[in-house]
């Protein structure tokens, strides 16, 4: 690396936790070379955006950011602008043609090459593209540079083979592949040595994990055995791969959190079929009940798309009806956004923006009601809360999460960040719980 030219870099992350973890990898690679990270664009010699393509509005944000970076570059010609991640994969031709000031375009499987490509660009000042997807790259033996916090993201598999008809991920991130159990364990042990107490196992399809016959349940047990791991979470699973064995493993270990993100997408069998989701509403409902049977206090969250092509009002009501039957603790709800390469984009029966918006509004009202209802049921219960940070609203209070992933605000007392403390829940306001630490217990 020609460090006389590039001394400081900025790196901004858009999108999912997988991108956060990938940015930590890139930061690890660059800081190992002696480069310094900065949040100040004025002093950066290179600015990288790690991008997301899941919905059109994610891309819009990056396009507008790139417009700002272009202005900075006009006064600072040596500035290197890099687009990393899913949009690089998806929009390389568009970027090359319409944004020639973007110097480096790197897909999610090409991060190891970042030092070489910076060098090449510094030498010949030409835009460089590397978006080749790999069947094997899992970034083994690279240790991410993590911020000073309690939770370490650990990527265990990459890519997705499910091809839900709405989703661009199989095209931007390529085929499924898993890391070895040994390398995951080694990384978790290192993270614990560095002081991290919570481990979140990550993958586009985390429970499709399979390495030489070892399943996701096997991996969870192995991580759970590591000394010093206070909490384990994982995201995002596919309902098809949530089975009783996995739930029993979760229930059997104290340090595996009682929380499942369970993406429903729709409650209509016709829509699920056109989405290529491979399960029915009946199966989804039965599994949700199984989760609560095996882990009675399990937190359940979901993802739902409204306005998928052809979704009738009746089919939308079936989704509301299934939400009512299950009652999720929280839901991430999205208006369907047509994505290039996907099957659903080709469907001819797209739904108007107005209808999507009114369905989304109705769904949000229902979800808010469920969240409040479930949170109110927790008032008077005792919860183990892992203190994560200072409350945004008061420096006399901590914010932490229950095992089941609910936020709780408590007074500071003598506790500290990373402590797990017993708390009695005293109040529920919307998505937030308030509680009192039980001292001397
Ligand atoms: N439009 C809207 N939402 C989408 N998601 C994925 N693709 C799309 C799309 N084209 C949502 C799904 C997924 C979450 C990560 O993003 O609900 O679970
Ligand atoms: Fe996308 Fe479906 Fe794969 Fe999730 S499982 S990343 S929604 S294709």
């Amino acid at each position: 690396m020609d460090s006389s030219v590039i001394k400081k870099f900025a790196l901004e992350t858009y999108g999912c936790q997988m991108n956060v973890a990938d940015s930590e990898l890139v930061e690890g690679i660059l800081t190992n070379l002696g480069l310094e990270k900065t949040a100040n664009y004025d002093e950066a010699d290179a600015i990288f955006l790690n991008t997301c393509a899941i919905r059109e509005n994610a891309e819009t944000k990056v396009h507008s950011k790139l417009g700002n970076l272009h202005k900075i570059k006009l006064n600072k010609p040596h500035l290197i602008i890099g687009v990393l991640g899913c949009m690089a994969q998806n929009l390389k031709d568009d970027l090359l043609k319409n944004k020639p000031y973007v110097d480096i375009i790197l897909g999610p499987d090409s991060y190891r090459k970042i030092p070489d490509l910076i060098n090449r660009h510094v030498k010949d000042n030409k835009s460089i593209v590397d978006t080749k997807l790999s069947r094997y790259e899992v970034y083994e033996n690279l240790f991410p540079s993590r911020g000073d916090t309690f939770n370490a993201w650990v990527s265990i598999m990459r890519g997705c083979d499910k091809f839900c008809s709405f989703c661009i991920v199989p095209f931007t991130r390529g085929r499924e592949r898993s890391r070895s159990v040994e390398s995951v364990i080694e990384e978790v042990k290192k993270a614990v040595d560095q002081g991290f107490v919570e481990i979140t196992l990550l993958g586009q399809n985390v429970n499709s994990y399979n390495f030489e016959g070892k399943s996701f349940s096997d991996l969870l047990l192995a991580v759970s055995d590591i000394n010093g791991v206070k909490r384990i979470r994982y995201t995002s699973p596919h309902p098809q791969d949530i089975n009783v064995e996995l739930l029993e493993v979760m229930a059997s270990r104290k340090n595996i959190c009682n929380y499942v993100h369970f993406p429903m997408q729709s409650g209509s069998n016709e829509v699920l079929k056109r989405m290529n989701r491979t399960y029915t509403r009946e199966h989804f409902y039965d599994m949700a009940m199984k989760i609560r049977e095996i882990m009675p206090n399990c937190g359940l969250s979901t993802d739902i798309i409204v306005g998928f092509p052809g979704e009738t009002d009746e089919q939308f009501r079936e989704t509301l009806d299934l939400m009512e039957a299950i009652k999720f603790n929280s839901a991430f709800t999205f208006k369907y956004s047509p994505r290039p390469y996907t099957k659903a984009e080709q469907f001819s029966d797209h739904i108007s923006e107005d209808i999507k918006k009114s369905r989304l509004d109705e769904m949000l009202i229902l979800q808010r009601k469920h969240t409040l209802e479930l949170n109110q049921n927790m008032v008077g219960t005792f919860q183990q809360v892992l203190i994560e940070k200072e409350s945004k609203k008061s420096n006399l209070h901590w914010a932490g999460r229950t095992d089941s992933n609910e936020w709780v605000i408590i007074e500071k007392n003598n506790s500290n960040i990373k402590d797990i403390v017993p708390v009695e829940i005293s109040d529920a306001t919307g998505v937030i719980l308030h509680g009192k630490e039980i001292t001397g217990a």
Side-chain angles (χ1 to χ4, degrees), residues 387-405:
I387 298 173
E388 299 190 9
K389 57 188 181 191
E390 193 166 83
S391 157
K392 273 188 204 145
K393 291 198 177 144
S394 146
N395 59 10
L396 301 174
H397 290 80
W398 293 126
R401 272 184 299 166
T402 63
D403 193 284
S404 59
N405 208 33

Side-chain angles (χ1 to χ4, degrees), residues 10 72 163 179 291:
I72 300 179
F163 288 92
R179 261 173 90 174
I291 295 171

Side-chain angles (χ1 to χ4, degrees), residues 38-71:
T38 173
N40 182 350
Y41 284 1
D42 291 336
E43 51 178 45
D45 306 301
I47 302 177
F48 297 103
L49 306 182
N50 192 2
T51 61
C52 169
I54 195 98
R55 282 170 292 275
E56 197 181 347
N57 58 7
E59 287 185 357
T60 311
K61 277 190 218 152
V62 172
H63 282 303
S64 119
K65 187 75 183 193
L66 282 171
N68 297 342
L69 297 188
H70 186 200
K71 283 190 201 130

